[in-house]
Each structure stands twice: as C-alpha cells, then as structure tokens.
Amino acid sequence: MPGLKKRSVNLAGHATSVALEPEFWAVLEIMSKDRRISLAALIAELDSKRGESLLASFCRLSALSFVQNKGGAAKRRKLVDA
C-alpha cells in the first residue's frame, strides 16, 4: 500500500492538513460526489461530528462505514431481485 497523501483543508477558518492513504481519499471523494458537496465540505462536516476523535481516524472510520453500508445495500438488492 502506498504511503500517506496529505491534503490541506480549511476548517472553521483555520488551515490544517489531513494525511490519509490514497484508498481512503478515493472513498471520501465518492462520498462527497454522492452527497453533491465538495470534498472540503465533507471533511468540514466530519470534523464537526468527530468529537474527541482525531480527524484522520474519523475520516477513515467514516469511509469504512460508507463502504460497508454500500456493500450491504448491494447485497440487499441481490436478495430482493432473487
């Protein structure tokens, strides 16, 4: 797996950077497109919901949850179509 990719974002008027594996960035980009918001807006939203969690960790967990939910939806569709 390639190394971390760092991206700069502006959160609540403060510049910060988030370092994630490219695979997680890819999922976050899909999430933002699905919701029709920018990647920066998605990260700002995740930041507002993360509580005490580290932002990078919360982004990873959110991406994982998204993928798991998408997989579950595909499995449910297969069951209904069968």
Side-chain angles (χ1 to χ4, degrees):
M1 183 183 308
L4 299 176
K5 183 175 181 181
K6 191 178 280 192
R7 295 195 184 183
S8 297
V9 292
N10 196 351
L11 301 174
H14 300 284
T16 190
S17 61
V18 181
L20 298 171
E21 294 78 6
E23 295 83 357
F24 286 106
W25 283 119
V27 173
L28 291 173
E29 288 171 0
I30 292 167
M31 289 171 66
S32 69
K33 287 178 183 174
D34 273 8
R35 300 192 49 211
R36 294 187 172 118
I37 60 175
S38 69
L39 182 60
L42 175 67
I43 293 175
E45 183 180 303
L46 294 176
D47 182 52
S48 72
K49 294 179 179 179
R50 69 184 170 98
E52 297 295 317
S53 299
L54 298 174
L55 179 58
S57 297
F58 194 75
C59 287
R60 286 184 184 96
L61 291 173
S62 297
L64 177 61
S65 177
F66 177 82
V67 169
Q68 288 174 330
N69 288 334
K70 284 288 186 178
K75 288 178 187 175
R76 284 189 296 277
R77 279 194 301 275
K78 286 182 184 178
L79 289 174
V80 170
D81 292 341

